[in-house]
Every structure is written in structure tokens, then in C-alpha cells.
Amino acid sequence: MSAYFFWILIGSAIVTLLPRVLPFVFVRQFQLPDPFLRWLTYIPVCILTALVMDELLLDSKFGAIHINASAIMAIIPTLIVALTTKSLSLTVLTGVVTMAVIRLFI
């Protein structure tokens, strides 16, 4: 491993780690208002929705939007698991496994 690669690796780790750790260090010193804490609970749902919609809606080279049929087939069992269990990790696991099976066999 060259020294250049080593320093790139260390720099990338620092740049990735700092934005994730520094907010926790600074926020720990303050008491955040309840409306802000309630708002923060919606962030995982927003991120998951953005990821799902990005996979669900495809744009063609002509600028039209098309619905990804394999994503629809994966969303149905994932949505059922999400609504029945209310578990984010089980929902994500169901979606990933379902999409993998669809891509493998279809």
C-alpha cells in the first residue's frame, strides 16, 4: 500500500466521520425544544421515502417518468411488513430480500 493511498484513506475517514460526530458533540450541551425533537423523529421516514421513490420512479431518455414494475412488486410485501410490525429494520430487511429475489428470478 502506497503512502498516497494511506493518506487518502485517512482523509476520507476523517471527512466522513466529522459530519456524523460533531453535531452530537455540540448538541449534547444544549436542551433542545420538544417541537424540534419531534421533528427529528421524521428524518428516518423521510430518508427511506426518498430512497423508495428514487427506485420506484424511473425517467426515460425522453424526459417521461415511468414506474419500475419490479419495485412495485417489492413494495407490496414490504409495505405489509411495515404496517403490521412497525419495525424499521424488519421493513428494510424485507424490502432488500424481496428485491434481491425479484432481480434474481425476474
Side-chain angles (χ1 to χ4, degrees):
M1 175 179 355
S2 69
Y4 177 75
F5 178 76
F6 176 75
W7 288 112
I8 292 292
L9 187 67
I10 295 297
S12 298
I14 291 171
V15 168
T16 302
L17 186 67
L18 285 179
R20 295 177 185 193
V21 172
L22 285 180
F24 290 112
V25 171
F26 290 123
V27 170
R28 191 172 16 160
Q29 300 170 4
F30 304 106
Q31 177 63 31
L32 297 173
D34 285 337
F36 183 73
L37 292 175
R38 201 170 357 156
W39 174 79
L40 284 176
T41 63
Y42 292 108
I43 290 178
V45 175
C46 292
I47 292 171
L48 187 60
T49 303
L51 291 171
V52 168
M53 293 309 290
D54 183 50
E55 182 66 26
L56 180 63
L57 302 176
L58 303 174
D59 58 341
S60 68
K61 59 183 174 183
F62 302 112
I65 296 176
H66 299 285
I67 295 176
N68 186 353
S70 61
I72 290 289
M73 289 187 289
I75 284 176
I76 293 169
T78 304
L79 188 59
I80 291 169
V81 168
L83 293 174
T84 56
T85 66
K86 307 260 190 285
S87 168
L88 184 61
S89 58
L90 193 58
T91 302
V92 171
L93 182 66
T94 302
V96 169
V97 169
T98 305
M99 196 61 164
V101 168
I102 289 171
R103 287 183 177 170
L104 183 66
F105 293 112
I106 294 179

